[in-house]
Amino acid sequence: GQNIDQPTEMTATEGAIVQINCTYQTSGFNGLFWYQQHAGEAPTFLSYNVLDGLEEKGRFSSFLSRSKGYSYLLLKELQMKDSASYLCASGAGSYQLTFGKGTKLSVIP
Amino acid sequence: DADVTQTPRNRITKTGKRIMLECSQTKGHDRMYWYRQDPGLGLRLIYYSFDVKDINKGEISDGYSVSRQAQAKFSLSLESAIPNQTALYFCATSATGQSFSYEQYFGPGTRLTVT
C-alpha cells in the first residue's frame, strides 16, 4: 500500500514561511504530488517530484527523499489566499494516486 | 470553458433512490477516475477507467457502479442511495504518455446529500 501521513492542521502568519511534511510507504513508488484545495473546490496541481531533491516554482517548493519516503511542501511569503488544504499524493503502479488526508493551512494576519 | 465538468453540482436525494452523477471532459484524456471526499478522510478512489473497455474497482467501490459511455464520459451510479454516501464526489482525468502521466485534473465536484 501507499499509506500517506501528513499533519492535519497548521497555522502560520502572513509573510512567513511554512513547511508541510508528508511521509509515504516506498513500495512501488512512482512519484509524489502536491495539490492545493480551497474549501468546497476541486484540488489543483501544485508540484510533482520523481527524483530526489528540491523543485522550486515561484513561492512554492517541493522536496523529495525517496530513500526516506519523505516529502515536504515549502510555501514562502505566505498570503491570505494560501489558506487551503494541501494534499500529498503518492503515485504507484497502474497510474493511480493515493492521497493523504490533507493538511489544512490557516494563514493569519 | 471548463475542461472537466460534472453534473449535477448539488443533489439531495432520499434513501433507496437511484442516482447518477455524470462527468464529461474535453481534455482528450484516456483515463478517468471517480473519488469521494469526506471530512477527515481525504480523497478515496471509487472506480477508475483507462479506456472505454476498461473498468477497475478502487478502494471503496461497494454500493457504486460506473459506466464509460465514451472516452469523454464517465458516469457514477448509486443503485440504492444510503445516508453514509453523503459526500463530495470528484471526477478526474489523466493522460497516458505525458511527462506527468500521473497528474490528474479534477472536475468541480458534486455535493451529494442522502436523507
Side-chain angles (χ1 to χ4, degrees):
Chain A
Q2 294 286 326
N3 290 340
I4 309 287
D5 191 29
Q6 55 181 127
T8 302
E9 294 186 41
M10 299 183 71
T11 300
T13 305
E14 190 176 15
I17 299 172
V18 70
Q19 178 174 311
I20 304 174
N21 296 322
C22 171
T23 58
Y24 63 91
Q25 292 184 354
T26 58
S27 60
F29 174 77
N30 274 304
L32 197 292
F33 283 82
W34 285 95
Y35 280 80
Q36 181 190 58
Q37 186 180 25
H38 286 98
E41 298 183 7
T44 55
F45 170 78
L46 284 178
S47 69
Y48 171 61
N49 294 69
V50 66
L51 299 176
D52 289 352
L54 187 69
E55 294 278 344
E56 298 187 73
K57 189 185 295 185
R59 294 190 299 115
F60 293 5
S61 302
S62 56
F63 172 83
L64 178 67
S65 170
R66 289 174 296 172
S67 62
K68 296 181 179 178
Y70 168 69
S71 174
Y72 67 74
L73 180 69
L74 193 70
L75 292 76
K76 303 175 185 176
E77 301 171 13
L78 279 173
Q79 302 175 10
M80 299 300 291
K81 68 178 181 179
D82 297 330
S83 292
S85 288
Y86 291 86
L87 313 180
C88 176
S90 173
S94 301
Y95 294 97
Q96 293 181 58
L97 289 180
T98 300
F99 285 85
K101 296 178 181 179
T103 298
K104 183 178 179 181
L105 175 66
S106 299
V107 180
I108 59 176
Chain B
D1 290 340
D3 295 318
V4 185
T5 57
Q6 294 182 231
T7 55
R9 295 293 313 278
N10 288 281
R11 180 72 183 267
I12 300 174
T13 192
K14 294 184 182 297
T15 297
K17 293 291 188 181
R18 183 179 189 275
I19 184 169
M20 179 181 289
L21 309 183
E22 299 191 13
C23 176
S24 294
Q25 51 111 350
T26 58
K27 300 188 73 67
H29 288 172
D30 50 350
R31 299 176 178 187
M32 298 186 75
Y33 310 80
W34 275 105
Y35 292 90
R36 66 176 280 176
Q37 188 173 40
D38 301 271
L41 294 179
L43 280 165
R44 293 182 292 167
L45 184 63
I46 306 172
Y47 270 96
Y48 61 101
S49 168
F50 286 168
D51 63 41
V52 174
K53 298 179 181 178
D54 177 79
I55 300 290
N56 303 282
K57 293 183 178 181
E59 177 187 354
I60 53 163
S61 59
D62 287 350
Y64 301 94
S65 62
V66 292
S67 173
R68 185 83 182 265
Q69 302 96 321
Q71 187 187 42
K73 296 184 181 296
F74 193 35
S75 300
L76 176 72
S77 293
L78 287 68
E79 297 300 327
S80 179
I82 56 177
N84 76 1
Q85 291 177 313
T86 293
L88 185 56
Y89 289 84
F90 286 104
C91 173
T93 72
S94 67
T96 311
Q98 295 193 352
S99 58
F100 288 1
S101 293
Y102 288 84
E103 183 181 350
Q104 294 183 14
Y105 298 81
F106 286 81
T110 295
R111 186 167 296 280
L112 177 66
T113 302
V114 183
T115 62

